[in-house]
Amino acid sequence: MKNPTLFGLVDCNNFYCSCERVFQPSLEGFPIVVLSNNDGCIIARSNEAKALGVEMGTPYFKARGLIEQHGIKVFSSNYTLYGDMSARVMSVLAESSPDIEVYSIDESFVDLTGIPDGDGFARILRRKVRQWTGIPVCIGIAQTKTLAKLANRVAKKAPKTGGVLDLSANPAWLEKALAKVDVDDVWGIGHRWAAMLHDRGIHKAAHLRDAEDGWVRKRMGVIGHRTAMELRGISCWPLERNVPDKKSCCVSRAFGQVVTELSAVREAVASHAARAAQKLRRDGLVASHITVFLMTDRFDNGDQVLPRSDYESAATAELGGWTADSRRLVGAATAVVERLFRPGRDYKKAGVILPFLESDACAPRGLFDRPEPKSKNLMAALDAIHAQYGRRSIHFAAEGTKKAWEMKQELRSPRYTTCLSDVPNVRC
Amino acid sequence: MSPGLKLILVDETVQAGFPSPAGDYLEGRIDLNEHLIQHPSATFLVWVSGDSMVDAGIFDGDLLVVDRSIQAAPGHIVVAAIDGELTLKRLARRGNRMVLQAENDAYPVIEVDENSETLIWGVATSAIHWLAGQPPRTGTMAAE
């Protein structure tokens, strides 16, 4: 007989805060928060900050009183660092387990099917991730992905679990967990379903598990029905092993403040195009077209939402063959900006999208396309300089020097793991 | 031609004449990463500031390779978090206690509190000491 399925869900604890602490151990035990792009809202909180009543998603300016009162340490988001630390955690998981599905920057499903002592395995894995990367994680284990998520949630909130909870091993714990967790917090149950379920007296995960099949199917379709089945311990969602190839690439940022000048918009877009080209080269990809979009405020002076065509404009240009050359992307993108820009508008955001990507090795070449060995060498040199000295060290003139449009990131920590001049100092 | 079929144009130039006699002996060049970094996901680089480890051949301005996957043992040179600050010392046994020793007589021995699990940050595996052309370092202190 086939082994019954067993899944682990590994979730990094307060991931962004934990990344900051790895390199600033003095912050261990102190309240810290991380802000969204542009220092807008609070997007991550350490347990100590949660305990002080700092809410997720609060605008920074509103939380300022609380932050100052308690001396909470504030960080701008440092996605370069979080991305690298995430890759480290995921690779430790991948090399230690039979199979994993990376689910988000800080979560991964692990296939534990056939492993005799899931709990013991998970405890060793948890310790290993902590030692190798410095990142604390919690692991929930169960027969289905939905239940593994639920187990993780309970493990995170109950310190006595030691960060690992195996619900497959103990039916009484499973029952308790299902009775405790709100239906809103079940994986895949969004706001609208939750509201509908509460109306029907279905408040807890256990209620949804016990709901009548035909009714669930009628009200929530196949997906909702599968969720209920998964709560019963019948696995409906296998591990997704095949990470699809990248099909498109997008780089966009909100401006630090409203931008009205063509030159500033052009610089921002040129900078995004250069960044997109760098991503292409890193992934061994080439693009054929570039789309530029500009956005103004979605609301008029009142609180009316404007039609999309009023606040967003976009246009696409050909790149003249498949390429990852920054000069061609920057040139094409700035030409599109000139066409899109309208004076008198308050621009809030701009971005570039590369809608069609191919692997560099097998991109179709036109009969008259010239191989570009010089371009490759130049771009390799550019990437090497960026790798050693950071992206500020050398850039295209079109990206501008003032960067008035740039995001506010006043409190960002150094890029400890990706830029040699930023690696931490140790005293001796 | 089926729509999924892609033609690959090889942009190698074709050499006429004799092939290089070294062609059969090509190997990849030595990549120091392979030799200095055993566990990439657990390895971090740090700059050294200070002179307490000079007798171990580690100098101010050196770059250290630190491998967190290695279980620290007496004799290892380790990065430790002392009072929240990343510090480099040699881990040693004194009787039945662990201590952190400087490798410079001018510095005192530091007692290790065995209860603190986060104390050892990683084990240093090599030090890179530039003799010329050192890259710039902004020197961001861990505990600002």
Side-chain angles (χ1 to χ4, degrees), chain A residues 22-23 88 131-133 417 423-426, chain B residues 36-48 58 62-70 72 76-81 86-89 119-128:
Chain A
V22 171
F23 301 95
R88 288 167 182 266
Q131 184 182 338
W132 284 45
T133 67
T417 62
V423 309
N425 262 350
V426 299
Chain B
L36 298 184
I37 300 178
Q38 304 295 320
H39 307 101
S41 46
T43 299
F44 296 85
L45 300 175
V46 299
W47 291 115
V48 175
I58 300 170
D62 284 359
L63 185 70
L64 284 191
V65 181
V66 178
D67 187 338
R68 293 182 55 111
S69 74
I70 298 172
H76 278 142
I77 291 176
V78 298
V79 174
L86 295 178
T87 309
L88 189 72
K89 290 286 180 285
L119 192 78
I120 303 294
W121 196 88
V123 173
T125 53
S126 49
I128 298 162

Side-chain angles (χ1 to χ4, degrees), chain B residues 1-131:
Chain B
M1 195 166 97
S2 77
L5 184 67
K6 283 164 197 151
L7 290 181
I8 301 167
L9 195 68
V10 179
D11 39 333
E12 288 293 309
T13 50
V14 179
Q15 294 281 353
F18 293 106
S20 159
D24 286 348
Y25 299 93
L26 280 180
E27 290 177 6
R29 285 195 193 136
I30 293 165
D31 177 359
L32 277 181
N33 284 325
E34 285 174 27
H35 302 282
L36 298 184
I37 300 178
Q38 304 295 320
H39 307 101
S41 46
T43 299
F44 296 85
L45 300 175
V46 299
W47 291 115
V48 175
S49 300
D51 62 356
S52 78
M53 296 300 285
V54 289
D55 292 346
I58 300 170
F59 300 92
D60 187 55
D62 284 359
L63 185 70
L64 284 191
V65 181
V66 178
D67 187 338
R68 293 182 55 111
S69 74
I70 298 172
Q71 200 63 50
H76 278 142
I77 291 176
V78 298
V79 174
I82 299 173
D83 298 329
E85 189 174 25
L86 295 178
T87 309
L88 189 72
K89 290 286 180 285
R90 190 185 293 279
L91 188 63
R93 196 187 297 279
R94 279 256 173 107
N96 52 7
R97 295 194 61 112
M98 289 293 205
V99 294
L100 291 168
Q101 281 177 341
E103 293 278 339
N104 179 338
D105 292 340
Y107 289 82
V109 170
I110 300 165
E111 302 280 333
V112 177
D113 176 6
E114 308 244 344
N115 298 322
S116 169
E117 73 171 287
T118 53
L119 192 78
I120 303 294
W121 196 88
V123 173
T125 53
S126 49
I128 298 162
H129 179 71
W130 271 265
L131 302 172

Side-chain angles (χ1 to χ4, degrees), chain A residues 177-298:
Chain A
L178 285 165
K180 196 167 130 192
V181 171
D182 289 334
V183 76
D184 314 56
D185 296 325
V186 171
W187 190 40
I189 301 294
H191 292 298
R192 284 160 92 196
W193 274 357
M196 184 276 288
L197 289 167
H198 283 301
D199 279 350
R200 299 291 170 133
I202 295 172
H203 303 300
K204 298 290 177 184
H207 298 151
L208 179 58
R209 177 197 60 184
D210 300 335
E212 198 255 314
D213 262 340
W215 180 83
V216 173
R217 232 196 157 106
K218 204 172 109 203
R219 297 303 306 257
M220 301 167 71
V222 178
I223 302 287
H225 185 233
R226 282 190 186 156
T227 300
M229 300 264 283
E230 286 235 323
L231 289 174
R232 291 172 203 160
I234 300 159
S235 175
C236 299
W237 284 298
L239 211 64
E240 282 176 28
R241 291 177 175 82
N242 300 328
V243 179
D245 276 354
K246 274 198 178 166
K247 295 284 189 240
S248 68
C249 163
C250 176
V251 178
S252 72
R253 294 282 155 79
F255 296 129
Q257 62 220 39
V258 164
V259 168
T260 54
E261 300 288 311
L262 171 62
S263 59
V265 177
R266 195 170 44 203
E267 285 174 10
V269 169
S271 178
H272 298 340
R275 178 90 187 97
Q278 188 190 18
K279 281 173 142 182
L280 288 184
R281 295 193 294 273
R282 185 195 61 200
D283 296 337
L285 298 169
V286 285
S288 59
H289 292 73
I290 188 162
T291 303
V292 175
F293 65 89
L294 306 180
M295 285 171 91
T296 56
D297 211 320
R298 287 176 55 195

Side-chain angles (χ1 to χ4, degrees), chain A residues 137-152:
Chain A
V137 300
C138 281
I139 306 179
I141 304 168
Q143 300 92 325
T144 70
K145 283 166 118 179
T146 306
L147 286 175
K149 273 273 216 184
L150 194 128
N152 183 277

Side-chain angles (χ1 to χ4, degrees), chain A residues 5-10 96-98 110-126 139-143 163-169:
Chain A
T5 54
L6 196 63
F7 295 94
L9 189 268
V10 183
S96 317
S97 348
V110 185
D111 186 1
L112 300 176
T113 302
I115 287 178
D117 175 16
D119 182 84
F121 180 87
R123 284 180 201 278
I124 293 166
L125 186 59
R126 179 173 183 269
I139 306 179
I141 304 168
Q143 300 92 325
V164 174
L165 179 61
D166 181 358
L167 291 180
S168 76

